[in-house]
Amino acid sequence: MKESELDHYTTEPPSHELACSIFEGSWSSDVPGIGLGDVPAFNDHRIHWLETQCGGFGGKSILELGPLEGGHTYMMARAGASNILSIESNSKAFLKCLIVQNALKFNAQFMYGDFRPMLAKRERRFDLILASGVLYHMTDPVALLSDMARASDSICIWTHYYDPNLAGTNARMKRHVSPDPTHTRFGDRLVETHRHDYLEFLTNEKFAGGSAPYSQWMTRDSLLGVLEDLGMTAITGTEEFDHEAGAHILVFATRLPGYSENSYLTNNPDVAAAVDAGQFKSGAEHYIRYGKSEGRQI
């Protein structure tokens, strides 16, 4: 029987919970005061870590790629971001973001569309770009990294990557990710990626992947190497290998004009001692978090 337009009406009293029920069964996030899913996207340790690395979100103009259900957008807005442009190409996820924003009342601009052609035009710059859960859904992740680096001097990334040590043991990787590498050139660098196919996930109502039936997963070395070639210093945060989908990494990458790791550690022996003691992963991490604001010699 053909659907009637009357099926789009409700006779229930208005509430934010009722609005969320439009997408009942497809929510991933635990939305404050409402619930719905079990992913803590509105109080995410990854965003807290990135906030410490970038010097805080306060007063910054931020471009967010793929907000899903608005959890990270909410966190950055609550942390004082001056302007957030959040772009989502999945129509269902975009509407969820609007429902969440209406319920939680935070300042951000959500737009529906593909961020890739927008970035390729190179018409706007931002203080910070957040791409959480995005890069491993791209068919050309290197192009996205390059376009992001032209639009901002600071990039926050959380992504899965291809780990050859897990390829033969991780059940999902064995089914979805090809062990055969694809090699492309980025300047003088040989970049390695592996094809990832969504397969049965394309019919899952919680699907939150890319717009093509496949994507390309970079290796860890290729990811960090391309960022270096783009003139960025990368600091790595949480990195895990036991996720059901494979290894993932948290990265903050930024440009540090005139910075030299060796010189910084030589000029600041207390920092060198802290790095040796494991308090910081590198001198760059200390400089970004503390040294720059302290006026340390680089």
Side-chain angles (χ1 to χ4, degrees):
M1 179 181 293
K2 186 177 179 180
E3 184 182 67
S4 167
E5 288 301 308
L6 295 178
D7 294 334
H8 298 294
Y9 289 78
T10 181
T11 57
E12 298 294 322
S15 70
H16 295 305
E17 291 79 3
L18 183 64
C20 291
S21 73
I22 296 171
F23 299 107
E24 186 175 3
S26 68
W27 290 85
S28 297
S29 306
D30 181 4
V31 181
I34 300 176
L36 302 172
D38 56 8
V39 177
F42 289 77
N43 186 23
D44 193 326
H45 69 91
R46 298 171 296 182
I47 302 303
H48 289 305
W49 181 84
L50 291 168
E51 183 178 13
T52 66
Q53 303 304 309
C54 73
F57 299 127
K60 287 184 168 64
S61 62
I62 300 174
L63 172 64
E64 182 185 19
L65 310 181
L68 186 60
E69 293 168 355
H72 296 166
T73 328
Y74 167 82
M75 291 182 67
M76 294 187 293
R78 290 285 296 268
S82 63
N83 179 274
I84 303 174
L85 173 60
S86 190
I87 302 176
E88 178 58 65
S89 63
N90 181 307
S91 59
K92 184 163 64 173
F94 170 69
L95 294 174
K96 287 181 181 179
C97 288
L98 298 184
I99 291 172
V100 165
Q101 185 181 39
N102 189 47
L104 301 184
K105 305 293 188 293
F106 57 92
N107 185 31
Q109 181 183 15
F110 289 103
M111 293 194 71
Y112 176 54
D114 191 332
F115 50 72
R116 289 172 293 186
M118 186 202 81
L119 283 169
K121 288 182 179 179
R122 307 174 190 175
E123 294 178 344
R124 288 187 64 177
R125 284 189 58 81
F126 302 85
D127 295 326
L128 183 71
I129 296 179
L130 174 63
S132 179
V134 169
L135 194 65
Y136 64 100
H137 291 306
M138 296 292 104
T139 56
D140 190 350
V142 176
L144 180 61
L145 287 173
S146 182
D147 286 341
M148 286 195 292
R150 290 189 181 95
S152 180
D153 289 330
S154 296
I155 300 172
C156 302
I157 298 169
W158 179 88
T159 186
H160 284 290
Y161 63 88
Y162 181 84
D163 184 339
N165 295 320
L166 296 178
T169 58
N170 181 291
R172 186 178 293 186
M173 284 188 68
K174 288 168 67 175
R175 174 165 170 73
H176 291 271
V177 187
S178 171
D180 300 323
T182 297
H183 292 107
T184 55
R185 283 283 177 186
F186 181 73
D188 294 331
R189 183 176 300 278
L190 191 64
V191 176
E192 179 179 332
T193 60
H194 291 255
R195 179 175 171 127
H196 165 270
D197 287 282
Y198 293 112
L199 302 178
E200 72 275 7
F201 291 119
L202 290 171
T203 58
N204 188 315
E205 64 180 350
K206 290 187 177 182
F207 176 74
S211 57
Y214 73 96
S215 62
Q216 294 287 347
W217 284 23
M218 301 180 74
T219 62
R220 185 184 192 277
D221 287 347
S222 289
L223 167 60
L224 298 179
V226 168
L227 288 171
E228 180 181 356
D229 293 345
L230 289 167
M232 295 190 148
T233 297
I235 297 173
T236 59
T238 302
E239 189 168 1
E240 298 180 4
F241 305 92
D242 57 357
H243 191 282
E244 62 179 352
H248 59 76
I249 191 171
L250 184 61
V251 180
F252 173 65
T254 190
R255 291 189 175 92
L256 300 174
Y259 178 83
S260 165
E261 181 75 4
N262 289 335
S263 296
Y264 188 66
L265 294 179
T266 299
N267 293 327
N268 299 277
D270 59 323
V271 177
V275 172
D276 289 341
Q279 296 175 19
F280 300 94
K281 291 185 177 181
S282 65
E285 179 182 354
H286 179 275
Y287 180 69
I288 291 169
R289 294 183 65 180
Y290 305 109
K292 186 176 182 180
S293 63
E294 293 172 357
R296 297 252 187 172
Q297 183 178 352
I298 59 174

